[in-house]
Amino acid sequence: MKSLSVLSRCGLVVAVLLLCGEVAAQRKTYNVEDLPQVPLDTLPTDRPGVKIITYTNNTWRYLLTDYSARANQKVFQDHWVTSGVFAYRDVHLSDVPETMEIKLIDNLGDYHPPVLGRVSSRYGPRGRGMHKGIDIGLPVGEPIYATFEGKVRYARYNSGGYGYLVILRHPNGLETYYGHLCKLNVSANDYVVAGQVIGYGGNTGRSRGPHLHFEVRYADLTFDPERIIDFSTGDLKYHTFVLERGYFNVSSKLTEALEEDDDMEGIFTDKNGEPLTSEEIVSNLEKAAAKPRPTVNDAIYYKVKSGDNLSKIAAKYGTTVGNICRLNGIKSSSPIRPGQRLRVK
Ligand SMILES: [Zn+2]
């Protein structure tokens, strides 16, 4: 068998030589990856803290050489707040460009999913409020990874509902939030690389069961993390992503608090708040993941006029009083007043 394969390889080489003549005779017949890869030299680049390293086998790659230079980039100086969740209070939606090309990763870059697990709640309208991120069920203590390289802007206990929270700012200006952690593994102003363990998943803050609450923001404005990450596989969807102003949720800047628990009921606990068995939790998580995803555009609001009552409004929008009550967290007996904004769909 060995001699046969040598023979056939010789045959191939002869055929190539015959076909290409002189050119083939000059061409090297080895593969680059078979050669020893020994670092040869480093070359400067115009990017802070980044050099190019060249190897003896004619290959090269980018090299992060100086984290302090990376961490001192302008993006980590402007609007840098380590004590609060929001850092861009003076930046409004209208200040944000209509579209922005965001490089998620480049040759330097790495990406790592924050955690792999079942999505228990997606981004979008939920109950009375707005779910600003995506929830991924996990066992307490599961390592949570930095999705991209960046600088830790916030790493502390948040009493607004996030529990132990890490906020990373990335060189492209995006920020990622990791909430309900049981333990932090980084401090504010640390510089982290993609895939570094920044903390451990837990159940702290306004949370009814162990899960990661993960958000992606630009200038404090949220958009759906599923636009860039496929959470069923953990894969990043794009290297470069076009972020449109229309993706942002306008209400995401209204409060720093996290209203998390709305539909956790029925997943980790039953309707009476009693804990469920792990089989029941897994089955509930599967059901939640199979649910069609809500979109922001589905919501319709109605301003109550004088003389209105719930049944009149329900009839007008082809819905029921029960549905309106559920969407607004009110009882059918609750009084409504003119000017009040009610969600009807
Ligand atoms: Zn959440």
Side-chain angles (χ1 to χ4, degrees):
M1 281 307 281
K2 201 175 179 186
S3 60
L4 187 67
S5 96
V6 169
L7 263 179
S8 64
R9 198 177 295 168
C10 287
L12 186 69
V13 170
V14 168
V16 168
L17 281 175
L18 285 174
L19 278 171
C20 306
E22 221 171 290
V23 180
Q26 289 169 0
R27 193 174 286 160
K28 291 165 183 169
T29 52
Y30 51 76
N31 294 317
V32 164
E33 55 265 30
D34 296 335
L35 293 171
Q37 191 187 47
V38 180
L40 192 63
D41 200 3
T42 54
L43 309 168
T45 71
D46 56 358
R47 300 168 60 182
V50 179
K51 285 187 174 173
I52 285 174
I53 180 164
T54 61
Y55 295 95
T56 45
N57 62 352
N58 290 334
T59 59
W60 64 276
R61 66 182 178 87
Y62 282 117
L63 184 69
L64 281 172
T65 50
D66 181 355
Y67 286 104
S68 64
R70 300 286 295 155
N72 287 334
Q73 294 178 85
K74 197 167 180 294
V75 65
F76 302 123
Q77 291 170 10
D78 295 346
H79 294 93
W80 190 254
V81 175
T82 57
S83 56
V85 172
F86 287 169
Y88 297 91
R89 290 185 180 281
D90 57 332
V91 180
H92 304 286
L93 186 63
S94 54
D95 303 326
V96 174
E98 290 272 2
T99 60
M100 277 176 286
E101 203 179 88
I102 303 266
K103 254 193 178 158
L104 295 173
I105 53 171
D106 54 23
N107 304 27
L108 252 181
D110 273 333
Y111 155 79
H112 195 289
V115 70
L116 288 177
R118 290 168 200 275
V119 172
S120 59
S121 184
R122 306 184 112 136
Y123 176 91
R126 189 172 72 177
R128 270 166 286 173
M130 161 75 203
H131 191 217
K132 301 170 185 176
I134 187 164
D135 292 343
I136 302 161
L138 44 71
V140 171
E142 187 85 349
I144 304 297
Y145 302 96
T147 46
F148 309 102
E149 69 155 307
K151 190 168 177 176
V152 180
R153 184 167 71 71
Y154 183 101
R156 51 160 66 193
Y157 188 83
N158 170 272
S159 54
Y162 286 95
Y164 281 107
L165 170 68
V166 172
I167 301 175
L168 301 181
R169 185 177 296 174
H170 307 290
N172 57 18
L174 291 183
E175 291 194 330
T176 49
Y177 287 41
Y178 312 75
H180 308 311
L181 306 182
C182 71
K183 189 175 184 288
L184 303 176
N185 207 33
V186 288
S187 308
N189 299 312
D190 284 354
Y191 203 80
V192 298
V193 295
Q196 188 168 329
V197 175
I198 53 171
Y200 299 90
N203 193 23
T204 57
R206 204 167 296 133
S207 167
R208 285 201 196 170
H211 73 280
L212 175 71
H213 171 90
F214 178 76
E215 294 180 10
V216 185
R217 292 188 184 241
Y218 182 88
D220 295 338
L221 290 155
T222 64
F223 65 93
D224 187 348
E226 288 189 86
R227 288 196 185 272
I228 59 167
I229 296 171
D230 179 341
F231 288 88
S232 64
T233 58
D235 292 337
L236 190 67
K237 291 184 176 175
Y238 311 99
H239 284 201
T240 300
F241 166 67
V242 176
L243 180 53
E244 296 182 19
R245 195 199 278 166
Y247 293 170
F248 292 120
N249 184 279
V250 280
S251 70
S252 51
K253 267 184 107 140
L254 293 181
T255 170
E256 281 196 353
L258 175 64
E259 300 291 342
E260 185 71 319
D261 52 0
D262 284 354
D263 66 1
M264 278 299 153
E265 189 177 316
I267 290 187
F268 297 102
T269 55
D270 67 14
K271 296 286 170 200
N272 302 317
E274 296 298 321
L276 297 172
T277 67
S278 49
E279 288 77 20
E280 289 168 324
I281 293 171
V282 166
S283 142
N284 287 338
L285 287 171
E286 275 169 354
K287 276 186 231 152
K291 255 196 246 171
R293 52 187 313 190
T295 62
V296 180
N297 301 336
D298 287 341
I300 297 173
Y301 289 89
Y302 174 72
K303 201 167 163 188
V304 177
K305 297 185 180 69
S306 74
D308 272 341
N309 58 47
L310 286 174
S311 20
K312 226 162 140 179
I313 298 167
K316 194 168 176 170
Y317 285 90
T319 183
T320 62
V321 171
N323 273 339
I324 293 181
C325 291
R326 195 176 45 77
L327 286 172
N328 297 279
I330 57 172
K331 293 196 178 99
S332 59
S333 57
S334 306
I336 55 167
R337 49 179 171 73
Q340 186 177 348
R341 229 161 81 92
L342 283 178
R343 186 168 161 198
V344 289
K345 287 246 164 116

